[in-house]
Amino acid sequence: MSKQYETVIGLEVHVELATRTKIFCGCSTAFGGAPNTHTCPVCTGMPGSLPVLNKRVVELALAVGLATNCQINQYCKFDRKNYFYPDNPQNYQISQLYLPICHDGGVEIETPEGGKKIIGIHEIHMEEDAGKLIHDDWEDCSLVDFNRSGVPLIEIVSEPDMRSAEEVIAYLDKLRLIIQYLGASDCKLQEGSMRADVNLSVREAGAKEFGTRTEMKNLNSFKAIARAIEGEKARQIDLIEAGKPVIQETRRWDDTKEYSYAMRSKEDAQDYRYFPDPDLVPVIISDEMIDATKARQPEFRDEKMARYMEEFGLPAYDADILTGTKKLADIFEATTAICHNPKKVSNWLMVETMRLLKDREMDADKIRFSPEHLAALIQLTEEGTINSSVAKEVFEHVFDEDVDPQAYVEEHGLKMDNDSDALTSTIEEIVAANPQSVADYKAGKKKAVGFLVGQTMKATQGKANPAMINKILTEILDKM
């Protein structure tokens, strides 16, 4: 009988904080920009330059710590983590080792089996980001861009509490939504504003001792993280079963090849020769600051979902989709407050909006239309001013250009035609021109009505009232 193995996983999640300026200088944190244009002597490590802490970084780190049930170190310090790398201009990184701002927290996830589980958070600390190396294969050289150097980060270090890729993704998704709801970061993995390093080891099922862990980097999507976990798990099991040792090292995941390769031996804290940063004073966090931060905490996803089901009578499925991004939840609430029709708002967001987001390959946070215009469109359909097919056509313009639907309908003559006499005349002509459909209807083939309705809509350029068409058409057919 083959041995059974258990995977033990902990994460180091780096999150870029949504500040306008860097952690220790006044340079812009905006994504993009020409290389080395968001820089100054401080963030490029020039001799004699001195860092000054950005207070907003402390506020956001504190908010994330409280939202993840952490204890707060009201007296915390910055330390220097010493290492040489070309994108690290000072040859050290300002971070926190001895007294991080937050410690001993945790978030609850739903396991693949449908149960609940707490994933412990060992600590959250503040630090600065490094620059970025750009490798030019054509010129056979590497170039460095220091725009990212000094961008504020928090590193969220979990306990080794996860046992599968599914649990890891659930944990990351929970963190992402908490941080997005706080407005502390946009958490875009593809832009590097949220990055996860996976520490993974394998042991025989039932064993108490951990196996030798490796750390995997270069993971920029949830799918890549899941594939990397499965790949590294299989690699370590193969080594163990072949009687070979697992080496503690840092590995780089290549998602194209679905393979990881060794980068360097895994360093421990002593290898970085940490010591307190002499240029930065300790950070004192008052009781008043903690109380004020708690008072500003928003309604998070779990509470929002429960409220949507109770207050608006939405099914759990709707509530789950709508709260999956803060942008969708904000639009839903604002639109519902205007038109007081939560189910209709939910339907427009979940069906047409999600369809167009997929077609345009857009994230929900890029939605441009206003709640006022969505509410106006819903009102036009509820009042019978336009029919559903016209409403979908108009919504595409609302989605793409945020047009005023009322003005658009007026300008393009899209109002529904409710003139029953004119409609009756049109339907009589269509019935007369389609004797086979009439015969099919008389023979009990009710689908024949659908064809005649379609012909009527075509003849009226989609402006007729579908309910009125069905009523008049049925009356005419039944008299024949």
Side-chain angles (χ1 to χ4, degrees), residues 228-267:
I229 287 169
E230 293 304 323
E232 181 60 11
K233 173 186 172 183
R235 188 188 74 86
Q236 290 192 21
I237 290 173
D238 287 345
L239 286 172
I240 293 167
E241 294 196 332
K244 297 177 181 177
V246 175
I247 298 168
Q248 182 174 326
E249 62 189 356
T250 299
R251 300 182 67 83
R252 183 179 180 85
W253 175 255
D254 187 325
D255 201 45
T256 306
K257 298 176 182 175
E258 295 196 13
Y259 178 77
S260 69
Y261 55 90
M263 292 171 64
R264 58 180 182 268
S265 62
K266 174 65 180 165
E267 300 90 345

Side-chain angles (χ1 to χ4, degrees), residues 262-292:
M263 292 171 64
R264 58 180 182 268
S265 62
K266 174 65 180 165
E267 300 90 345
D268 289 316
Q270 62 266 25
D271 297 319
Y272 290 116
R273 295 175 292 114
Y274 279 94
F275 64 87
D277 192 294
D279 292 335
L280 288 159
V281 297
V283 178
I284 311 296
I285 299 171
S286 66
D287 292 338
E288 290 78 13
M289 186 176 180
I290 292 175
D291 291 341

Side-chain angles (χ1 to χ4, degrees), residues 35-36 87 131-137 141-146:
N36 298 304
D87 64 4
K132 183 179 181 181
L133 283 177
I134 293 120
H135 304 291
D136 189 332
D137 293 333
C141 67
S142 293
L143 307 171
V144 65
D145 177 8
F146 287 124

